[in-house]
Amino acid sequence: MRVPLPFLHECTVKMTTLRAFTCDDLFKFNNINLDPLTETYGIPFYLQYLAHWPEYFIVAEAPGGELMGYIMGKAEGSVAREEWHGHVTALSVAPEFRRLGLAAKLMELLEEISERKGGFFVDLFVRVSNQVAVNMYKQLGYSVYRTVIEYYSASNGEPDEDAYDMRKALSRDTEKKSIIPLPHPVRPEDIE
Amino acid sequence: MAARGHVQDPNDRRLRPIYDYLDNGNNKMAIQQADKLLKKHKDLHCAKVLKAIGLQRTGKQDEAFALAQEVATLEPTDDNSLQALTILYREMHRPELVTKLYEAAVRKVPSSEEYHSHLFMAYARVGEYKKMQQAGMTLYKIVPKNPYYFWSVMSLVMQAISAQDKKLSQTMFLPLAERMVEKMVKEEKIEAEAEVQLYYMILERLGKYVEALEVVRGQLGEKLTSELQSRENKCMSLYKQLERWPECNALSCKLLLKNPDDWQFYMSYFDSLFHLIDQGWEPPSEGEHCSEGEVRSSVAQAIAFVEERLAVEEAKETRPLRGPFLARLELIRRLRARGCPEEQELGEPLELMFQYFIKFGDKPCCISDLKIYLDLLTTDHHVQFINRLMETVPLSEPQDDGVALPGDTRALQRHLCVAQLSRALGLHHALDTTGKLDLIRQLKSHYRHGLQFGKSCLKTELQFSDMYCLLASHVYIDLWAETGDETMLWQCLGLLEEGLSHSSSNAQFKLLLILLFCRMGAFEPVVDLYSSLDAKHVQHDTIGFLLTRYAESLGQFAAASQSCNFSLRFFHSNQKDTSEYIIQAYKYGAFEKIPEFIAFRSRLNRSLHFAQVRTERMLLDLFLEADLSSSLEDNVKSMGLCPEEDDIPWTDMRDNRDLTVLTSWDPADRQLSEEQRSFSLQEELLWLKVRFLTLRLVGTLAVLSHPPTPRNAEKAAENGVVAKPDILRPLLDQLNTTLQNGAQFLERGVQYPFLGPSPTRLAHALASGSCHCQVLAFQLAAYVQELDAAALEETTEVQTQISNSFKSLLIQLKEILNKCKGDLLEVKEGQCKTQPTLLENLVFFVETVCVVHWVSCFCAGVLRPLKASLQKRKKKKKEPISATMVVFSGFQEFTAGLQSLFSEVLDHIKGQETSLTALKLGELTLEEVMPAGEEAFVKLAMDKLRSSYLRSLQELGDLLKKRADVLKSLKI
């Protein structure tokens, strides 16, 4: 999960067309994806999300037709164990459309969809070093549920990086049980 | 694959190690283990299949296939074998065999839900829609689950979509699908949202918008909950289709009241407004305006509506939304276009845009917002507008250099926005040379000053002032384009290098550097720049052209091959990948995604870039990587090239290039227009056709040069029979026509914006003479073919033509070579000058020599047996056939001429290498033309350029040397 978006207090200035992401948007998202923290995945990855969770893949379009940013997510987990939840897989906004609160708006939509699906919480992973994003999520009501050790494998010889698994409880989790932080960090193989 | 449920079955236990080996990529051990198992249990079919998978993955396709067929003919019904075979066939790219497999399985076990469902998916993989429809129904009869029924319905829709005969879709497939759904509706069996979604899709495709509206607004529509505003969006689209403007109007307003920032609804509101005005719509005297509520159908109401939204925003204590402010400008534009005087009630655009800037000028998006409405300003107000904006930007007192600077990032962003707006208004372009240079000075000053605000930025973040640097670069490029002064490009390169040193992940810097280096003939630096963009997967299709356009034409063949391979790998995996997700879409009921995925797959398969890299990859193979010791025929065969076949979808090619990936703030009339886009595609297609025909012509030589047995040769000579199909001539004719079309295209003198698409190699290719030289070479091959086919006695004329061709080929090659002479890079009066065209011509020379070389091999192949048989006849009959000697001696003179051309070009390359190496760039004094801090960056760029030129020369030289060696052995 990667996000570069500060200044949440100004989160109301977006002016956008929000719509479902379609395959054709893959040909237009370079201004967003040429960002160093935004991963361009293989086609199967996008198609999997579009086939399985199309409602969770939303793109914002500017009046001039440029793509401003998008969010990609899914719903997963066991209902019986109260782990059914929305997950943010990718969230990115093009440099010229930052500082408008667009990421916050996209997160809000994902949370609303997760509410409708009866999720207990929404979660996401973020690089421990990506302080900008971590702070933004905190402002949006997310808290660190656990640290996942060496979740991001690095190339070019640098050490692997830890991730925060951040969560926000939804209304179904009335006692906010899902976000009680774990006392110890976990390894990637221990998470589902 | 190893994830299997229960382990009770002893066979599962036995097979387990093989699965594990395969999963771990240890194919050899998997094969051994399978062999061991098969010794003990001959009838364990699955072991055979697993062995076949191992064989397939170690490159033994034929063996693997044979083994698989052994099992398949037994029509297995065990899970393990079936699944393993499915995997194997998919890896073999033979999905049609999976259908056969499960057809057999369901025949044997007709009640199996699982096998029927696999059969359905197998059909889906190959797009057998009719069979899918049946398979779905069969499944539903076995197990009456709703999804199966709707799989069948969807398969009908797919038959409709894919049908050639659209009438059949409308009268048969879709109505049938509709009836199938109606049946379920009547029986109240509709369960899932996906089912309603599918019903909507069918009605929409049938044009039954009224019925669709009833569904969406009715009880069934309540199921449409996953997607946000799903019902509203669907209604809106239906109202537009039905031209129910009152509803469209009312719904838009309703949604805008809820979210005054959703741009699409302003658009639909204004659209509906003017439709209603044109229709003279009047609200009913009593009751509701329409089913969606209140309609605001007059200009006055629209103005009031927008102003109410504005008032709400103005009254807010938090920062206002941008939507209503931009909507006001949009409404002015639309009113003005209709000549409505009421436009003035909304205010003066200049004033409104000024206010917009006051509110939102510190947002990076302010420029993209306002640039859409700049045409509302009259030209004589442009300067006034910019001056008014500038007055509001808080800047310091002018510094020593006369530049006033911002004190924080907000002021910086405002100032930057004004600079961007002036450019968008054409004010930068209007400046004279001195004015432009002064502007650059100021922009650079702002750029460097602004870096202090971003000292704590991470490597992955951009600097606040980066865009000043990009703006200054654009002005440099303007100056270069106007004056042809190359120092402007050098300084531009230097500035961008400087920018990159402070902001290492700025993609725009990298993209512009790539473009500039390529235009200056240097590809080497591009490789690192591009790879640092980390462009992957679909980006190969959208921006891969940045690499493939120049790599080869600038003589960096290794890089060219590699870039083609990156792209090809992506395209080749597309077919298999997409099919899997079409199946997933069925499973998850994402029916609306199925046609979308299929269109996506086709868009990639029909990609212009795909056809280009496929063609260039094969040409590169023939030019560079072909095994010169083996025959052309073997080379062509190993490439899988089939010269008789034209498999490029010329008429329906998709241009997936992202031609606006480079940021531009140029005025609208200097931006890439739709017309230029289509010209660019036209030009790309023409050049692709030239290249594709060249490739096929070389391939044809291979087909023609089956070494004839001496007896056949004599027989042919005696009977005068044309034994070989004449594919050379028609292709040659096509090439000639295409070159003519190309020349005609160039006469139009189409120009593209610098930041838009690059021109193709077509113009240079024609100017260098290489195209015509290659045509001549193929012409020669055609003559030689004729000679081969005819009786020797009747060939005097063709022999003369051959001899003449030999001579003219040498002359033309020499002419191309002359166009390569000169210094690629020279230092004159303290200035660096480049002539990249010389390098491009040299590459054309090399490519042409390669074509000529293959033609020579073909000639030698034909002439050699001819000469031998002639000598035999001479001995027998003692008759002098002096005429044929012309061809033989002509060929020898020709190869000797080629040899000397080779030495000449190699000498030239060597000379260039020496003088480039000797250039003392370090000692160049640039201080007179630029400040000391910039010099280092400019010199860095110069070094990169030189290194790149040297590398190109070396690659070209190596290639020529290889060819020269082979040429020596070319004797008849």
Side-chain angles (χ1 to χ4, degrees):
Chain A
M1 182 33 270
R2 39 258 341 200
V3 155
L5 282 189
F7 302 123
L8 204 61
H9 49 282
E10 302 173 356
C11 76
T12 48
V13 209
K14 53 244 173 246
M15 217 263 320
T16 324
T17 295
L18 293 162
R19 57 170 178 79
F21 191 100
T22 68
C23 288
D24 280 341
D25 292 317
L26 294 169
F27 295 95
K28 301 198 291 186
F29 70 5
N30 282 322
N31 62 330
I32 304 169
N33 273 40
L34 286 175
D35 174 274
L37 287 179
T38 304
E39 179 74 16
T40 300
Y41 298 100
I43 297 298
F45 196 72
Y46 296 110
L47 296 191
Q48 184 197 344
Y49 276 80
L50 288 171
H52 201 156
W53 307 280
E55 66 280 3
Y56 266 123
F57 204 163
I58 301 167
V59 64
E61 202 177 58
E66 311 97 315
L67 299 191
M68 304 167 75
Y70 59 83
I71 194 166
M72 178 167 140
K74 59 181 171 183
E76 59 184 6
S78 142
V79 179
R81 282 185 287 167
E82 303 197 356
E83 281 165 0
W84 172 246
H85 68 282
H87 174 76
V88 184
T89 304
L91 168 60
S92 189
V93 174
E96 61 169 320
F97 298 107
R98 291 186 190 161
R99 301 169 208 201
L100 296 173
L102 182 58
K105 177 74 193 172
L106 291 168
M107 287 293 289
E108 190 189 307
L109 296 179
L110 187 133
E111 287 162 19
E112 197 183 325
I113 296 167
S114 306
E115 282 280 0
R116 287 193 196 180
K117 289 184 186 291
F120 291 90
F121 59 92
V122 169
D123 78 346
L124 55 92
F125 291 92
V126 58
R127 282 177 193 274
V128 170
S129 68
N130 194 350
Q131 210 47 52
V132 179
V134 173
N135 286 338
M136 179 193 82
Y137 291 126
K138 283 188 177 162
Q139 289 192 56
L140 290 176
Y142 287 74
S143 53
V144 176
Y145 168 68
R146 57 186 169 182
T147 304
V148 188
I149 296 164
E150 292 171 357
Y151 178 78
Y152 294 102
S153 47
S155 50
N156 57 42
E158 284 173 43
D160 291 349
E161 198 180 334
D162 297 352
Y164 286 137
D165 176 356
M166 297 184 79
R167 288 187 176 184
K168 179 178 180 176
L170 296 176
S171 57
R172 185 165 178 188
D173 180 13
T174 41
E175 294 161 48
K176 299 201 187 301
K177 281 191 289 188
S178 63
I179 61 163
I180 300 168
L182 293 191
H184 304 294
V186 296
R187 302 215 46 97
E189 54 270 25
D190 300 329
I191 56 175
E192 283 177 24
Chain B
M1 186 165 52
R4 326 194 60 75
H6 36 88
V7 229
Q8 292 97 328
D9 186 350
N11 279 341
D12 273 2
R13 187 173 37 78
R14 291 184 190 115
L15 293 167
R16 163 73 50 191
I18 315 182
Y19 281 114
D20 289 343
Y21 282 129
L22 286 174
D23 279 352
N24 298 327
N26 199 341
N27 298 314
K28 253 196 198 147
M29 283 305 290
I31 296 170
Q32 277 180 24
Q33 186 68 30
D35 278 334
K36 227 163 58 189
L37 196 58
L38 283 167
K39 260 185 208 153
K40 274 196 251 168
H41 308 271
K42 267 191 198 137
D43 299 329
L44 195 47
H45 304 311
C46 183
K48 272 191 193 168
V49 186
L50 293 180
K51 182 183 169 186
I53 293 179
L55 289 167
Q56 163 77 16
R57 291 182 183 171
T58 43
K60 294 176 182 145
Q61 279 85 358
D62 294 343
E63 255 180 87
F65 186 68
L67 203 54
Q69 290 317 89
E70 265 180 46
V71 180
T73 44
L74 299 173
E75 307 192 337
T77 52
D78 66 298
D79 247 6
N80 285 330
S81 301
L82 286 169
Q83 288 191 20
L85 275 168
T86 306
I87 288 165
L88 178 65
Y89 288 147
R90 256 153 61 186
E91 285 182 18
M92 291 178 150
H93 298 277
R94 299 289 301 272
E96 73 283 3
L97 293 177
V98 183
T99 61
K100 302 271 169 297
L101 203 60
Y102 280 101
E103 277 169 4
V106 299
R107 245 193 336 264
K108 286 191 175 171
V109 196
S111 63
S112 164
E113 178 182 5
E114 194 186 343
Y115 294 164
H116 276 286
S117 135
H118 280 301
L119 179 59
F120 179 87
M121 294 307 172
Y123 287 141
R125 212 169 270 125
V126 292
E128 291 255 25
Y129 303 126
K130 192 167 172 55
K131 289 188 175 160
M132 287 163 76
Q133 181 201 339
Q134 289 155 356
M137 272 328 277
T138 317
L139 256 174
Y140 184 67
K141 275 174 199 151
I142 299 170
V143 199
K145 291 183 188 165
N146 264 17
Y148 296 150
Y149 186 89
F150 285 91
W151 284 3
S152 188
V153 177
M154 183 61 202
S155 307
L156 269 168
V157 176
M158 287 314 298
Q159 288 178 68
I161 291 175
S162 61
Q164 297 290 331
D165 182 358
K166 288 297 152 203
K167 229 174 122 189
L168 208 61
S169 307
Q170 291 298 321
T171 55
M172 196 173 95
F173 296 126
L174 289 171
L176 190 54
E178 185 194 8
R179 278 200 300 281
M180 280 181 74
V181 183
E182 276 171 354
K183 184 168 175 283
M184 295 297 264
V185 175
K186 273 188 204 123
E187 294 171 14
E188 296 187 347
K189 282 186 185 163
I190 298 284
E191 290 166 1
E193 177 174 3
E195 296 157 15
V196 183
Q197 190 81 21
L198 180 54
Y199 193 18
Y200 172 80
M201 254 174 87
I202 294 166
L203 293 172
E204 202 188 18
R205 285 186 181 267
L206 273 170
K208 292 193 166 181
Y209 303 119
V210 179
E211 291 83 347
L213 200 55
E214 276 165 24
V215 171
V216 176
R217 299 196 58 168
Q219 209 181 347
L220 285 176
E222 282 167 22
K223 289 194 186 293
L224 299 169
T225 54
S226 290
E227 205 186 312
L228 296 174
Q229 282 188 9
S230 173
R231 288 172 93 179
E232 288 88 342
N233 288 336
K234 287 189 170 66
C235 283
M236 188 70 87
S237 130
L238 290 169
Y239 292 145
K240 284 181 196 165
Q241 289 290 351
L242 288 165
E243 303 190 358
R244 289 203 186 166
W245 303 119
E247 281 85 352
C248 181
N249 184 297
L251 180 59
S252 302
C253 289
K254 238 184 347 198
L255 291 168
L256 283 172
L257 286 170
K258 221 166 76 186
N259 178 7
D261 221 20
D262 205 330
W263 191 243
Q264 57 191 327
F265 299 125
Y266 283 110
M267 293 305 174
S268 52
Y269 174 47
F270 295 148
D271 287 344
S272 69
L273 172 74
F274 294 116
H275 281 296
L276 289 172
I277 291 174
D278 291 341
Q279 288 171 359
W281 186 83
E282 290 289 336
S285 47
E286 56 187 89
E288 269 206 312
H289 286 177
C290 72
S291 59
E292 292 286 355
E294 188 189 347
V295 178
R296 293 169 174 84
S297 63
S298 70
V299 170
Q301 281 170 315
I303 291 175
F305 181 76
V306 170
E307 293 202 319
E308 281 160 31
R309 304 284 76 66
L310 281 163
V312 174
E313 296 310 315
E314 298 275 16
K316 267 190 194 165
E317 288 196 10
T318 54
R319 192 185 273 263
L321 296 172
R322 280 146 62 235
F325 294 90
L326 282 179
R328 174 162 60 184
L329 291 166
E330 177 69 25
L331 186 55
I332 292 180
R333 171 198 287 176
R334 290 188 182 217
L335 289 170
R336 189 177 281 190
R338 292 170 60 94
C340 290
E342 292 99 321
E343 132 200 8
Q344 282 158 9
E345 292 171 30
L346 284 158
E348 182 57 42
L350 191 146
E351 180 60 30
L352 299 177
M353 287 164 85
F354 172 75
Q355 285 169 14
Y356 192 87
F357 176 80
I358 298 296
K359 288 199 169 64
F360 305 108
D362 57 353
K363 297 284 165 196
C365 67
C366 188
I367 172 70
S368 3
D369 290 345
L370 284 185
K371 79 175 175 211
I372 325 173
Y373 297 105
L374 289 178
D375 60 345
L376 293 178
L377 301 175
T378 52
T379 320
D380 52 331
H381 284 137
H382 287 175
V383 177
Q384 187 199 342
F385 175 61
I386 292 300
N387 287 344
R388 271 196 72 188
L389 299 187
M390 195 57 106
E391 279 164 20
T392 69
V393 181
L395 295 176
S396 70
E397 284 303 304
Q399 310 290 299
D400 293 345
D401 58 358
V403 180
L405 297 165
D408 59 28
T409 54
R410 283 173 182 258
L412 179 149
Q413 191 55 52
R414 283 184 181 278
H415 181 265
L416 178 62
C417 182
V418 181
Q420 289 164 328
L421 283 167
S422 344
R423 184 162 182 88
L425 286 168
L427 299 181
H428 289 183
H429 299 89
L431 295 169
D432 61 7
T433 305
T434 330
K436 284 196 175 99
L437 285 171
D438 192 53
L439 173 65
I440 289 172
R441 193 181 56 82
Q442 292 178 35
L443 289 169
K444 286 201 290 201
S445 185
H446 276 281
Y447 166 60
R448 291 183 185 126
H449 169 260
L451 289 174
Q452 62 179 297
F453 303 121
K455 283 205 176 107
S456 60
C457 281
L458 299 173
K459 244 173 49 187
T460 49
E461 288 175 273
L462 305 180
Q463 286 289 331
F464 292 96
S465 62
D466 271 356
M467 291 302 140
Y468 282 116
C469 180
L470 199 60
L471 266 174
S473 305
H474 289 173
V475 186
Y476 270 131
I477 293 169
D478 295 341
L479 272 172
W480 166 73
E482 265 168 41
T483 63
D485 180 359
E486 208 180 304
T487 38
M488 294 301 117
L489 281 190
W490 287 112
Q491 295 195 31
C492 185
L493 280 177
L495 180 61
L496 286 166
E497 291 279 3
E498 182 185 341
L500 209 51
S501 76
H502 295 295
S503 184
S504 59
S505 46
N506 189 314
Q508 287 300 325
F509 290 171
K510 293 174 190 171
L511 290 167
L512 190 51
L513 275 169
I514 287 174
L515 203 60
L516 287 168
F517 274 123
C518 284
R519 292 289 174 98
M520 295 180 85
F523 192 78
E524 193 183 54
V526 171
V527 176
D528 284 344
L529 284 166
Y530 188 87
S531 85
S532 77
L533 285 173
D534 204 19
K536 288 184 286 198
H537 311 297
V538 71
Q539 290 172 319
H540 287 307
D541 194 18
T542 54
I543 58 171
F545 69 94
L546 291 170
L547 275 185
T548 50
R549 161 63 185 88
Y550 283 102
E552 187 179 350
S553 67
L554 296 175
Q556 308 243 328
F557 298 123
S561 292
Q562 210 187 16
S563 341
C564 287
N565 286 345
F566 284 149
S567 292
L568 280 175
R569 220 170 294 147
F570 164 71
F571 287 115
H572 283 145
S573 62
N574 160 48
Q575 188 74 29
K576 207 175 74 178
D577 289 348
T578 356
S579 306
E580 287 317 303
Y581 294 95
I582 291 169
I583 290 174
Q584 293 229 358
Y586 273 104
K587 281 191 187 156
Y588 299 122
F591 294 123
E592 77 282 7
K593 290 291 166 193
I594 293 168
E596 186 183 317
F597 288 177
I598 289 171
F600 175 67
R601 179 169 67 188
S602 145
R603 181 166 178 184
L604 288 176
N605 282 338
R606 294 174 171 279
S607 161
L608 167 71
H609 185 63
F610 184 22
Q612 285 172 326
V613 289
R614 218 156 49 107
T615 307
E616 292 299 336
R617 169 75 253 202
M618 287 196 266
L619 275 173
L620 279 165
D621 271 348
L622 283 176
F623 291 161
L624 331 151
E625 281 169 27
D627 180 0
L628 294 178
S629 61
S630 65
S631 70
L632 173 61
E633 197 193 340
D634 290 343
N635 278 306
V636 168
K637 212 172 139 192
S638 72
M639 282 160 39
L641 168 66
C642 183
E644 293 95 334
E645 207 182 305
D646 183 353
D647 54 356
I648 292 183
W650 295 103
T651 49
D652 189 19
M653 202 79 102
R654 295 297 302 263
D655 187 355
N656 297 334
R657 292 175 298 165
D658 183 352
L659 295 176
T660 50
V661 68
L662 281 113
T663 298
S664 163
W665 300 285
D666 284 349
D669 59 345
R670 287 173 187 264
Q671 299 272 6
L672 183 68
S673 67
E674 279 310 310
E675 197 188 18
Q676 284 168 327
R677 247 176 221 279
S678 98
F679 276 137
S680 168
L681 173 60
Q682 229 176 305
E683 189 185 336
E684 295 287 346
L685 288 176
L686 278 166
W687 178 242
L688 174 60
K689 206 159 212 168
V690 171
R691 300 293 274 181
F692 189 55
L693 285 167
T694 308
L695 174 69
R696 290 172 67 195
L697 277 160
V698 178
T700 305
L701 297 182
V703 177
L704 293 176
S705 58
H706 297 291
T709 56
R711 226 185 56 200
N712 282 343
E714 252 172 65
K715 205 171 133 199
E718 278 162 23
N719 305 337
V721 182
V722 183
K724 279 150 195 162
D726 192 12
I727 46 173
L728 196 60
R729 287 262 172 211
L731 286 177
L732 192 52
D733 291 343
Q734 281 187 54
L735 180 57
N736 270 318
T737 318
T738 311
L739 288 174
Q740 276 167 19
N741 294 343
Q744 275 167 15
F745 177 89
L746 293 173
E747 275 168 24
R748 289 177 168 165
V750 177
Q751 299 269 328
Y752 310 109
F754 186 84
L755 300 173
S758 297
T760 67
R761 299 173 73 194
L762 182 64
H764 283 306
L766 288 174
S768 73
S770 72
C771 289
H772 292 104
C773 190
Q774 290 180 23
V775 165
L776 188 65
F778 292 123
Q779 180 71 59
L780 167 66
Y783 290 142
V784 170
Q785 191 198 358
E786 229 174 276
L787 178 76
D788 189 25
L792 268 185
E793 290 75 13
E794 299 156 11
T795 57
T796 348
E797 195 185 330
V798 91
Q799 287 187 49
T800 324
Q801 282 165 328
I802 292 172
S803 307
N804 290 341
S805 303
F806 281 142
K807 284 183 198 125
S808 356
L809 255 183
L810 282 179
I811 296 171
Q812 291 204 9
L813 279 171
K814 173 81 183 145
E815 276 170 14
I816 306 177
L817 182 52
N818 287 341
K819 289 177 186 157
C820 310
K821 301 279 176 74
D823 285 328
L824 274 174
L825 182 67
E826 59 176 342
V827 178
K828 243 189 209 163
E829 293 150 12
Q831 293 205 4
C832 235
K833 281 227 161 302
T834 58
Q835 295 197 74
T837 321
L838 298 178
L839 180 59
E840 287 175 59
N841 284 346
L842 191 58
V843 174
F844 281 125
F845 176 80
V846 169
E847 289 184 357
T848 310
V849 157
C850 290
V851 169
V852 169
H853 175 243
W854 287 123
V855 170
S856 315
C857 293
F858 170 75
C859 293
V862 174
L863 295 180
R864 212 176 288 127
L866 263 185
K867 194 174 171 189
S869 81
L870 211 65
Q871 273 163 350
K872 256 193 240 159
R873 277 167 64 181
K874 248 202 256 177
K875 272 181 204 159
K876 265 193 242 161
K877 300 182 186 169
K878 306 226 162 108
E879 51 178 308
I881 308 175
S882 57
T884 52
M885 297 308 287
V886 183
V887 174
F888 299 140
S889 61
F891 183 77
Q892 259 133 19
E893 279 162 32
F894 174 65
T895 48
L898 279 181
Q899 293 281 8
S900 69
L901 271 176
F902 270 105
S903 350
E904 193 181 334
V905 65
L906 286 170
D907 282 347
H908 166 67
I909 289 176
K910 193 146 201 189
Q912 280 297 297
E913 285 174 337
T914 318
S915 65
L916 274 171
T917 318
L919 273 185
K920 293 200 168 50
L921 296 175
E923 289 168 19
L924 247 171
T925 42
L926 303 168
E927 282 115 34
E928 285 170 29
V929 277
M930 65 188 76
E934 293 176 25
E935 201 187 318
F937 289 109
V938 176
K939 283 193 174 165
L940 176 72
M942 286 178 174
D943 267 332
K944 285 184 179 173
L945 212 82
R946 166 164 63 183
S947 157
S948 179
Y949 284 171
L950 280 169
R951 186 185 183 135
S952 298
L953 288 170
Q954 197 197 341
E955 282 203 35
L956 289 164
D958 288 351
L959 193 91
L960 284 166
K961 276 179 217 150
K962 239 168 66 184
R963 292 271 164 181
D965 288 344
V966 184
L967 192 67
K968 275 180 203 146
S969 61
L970 196 65
K971 292 203 174 87
I972 54 168

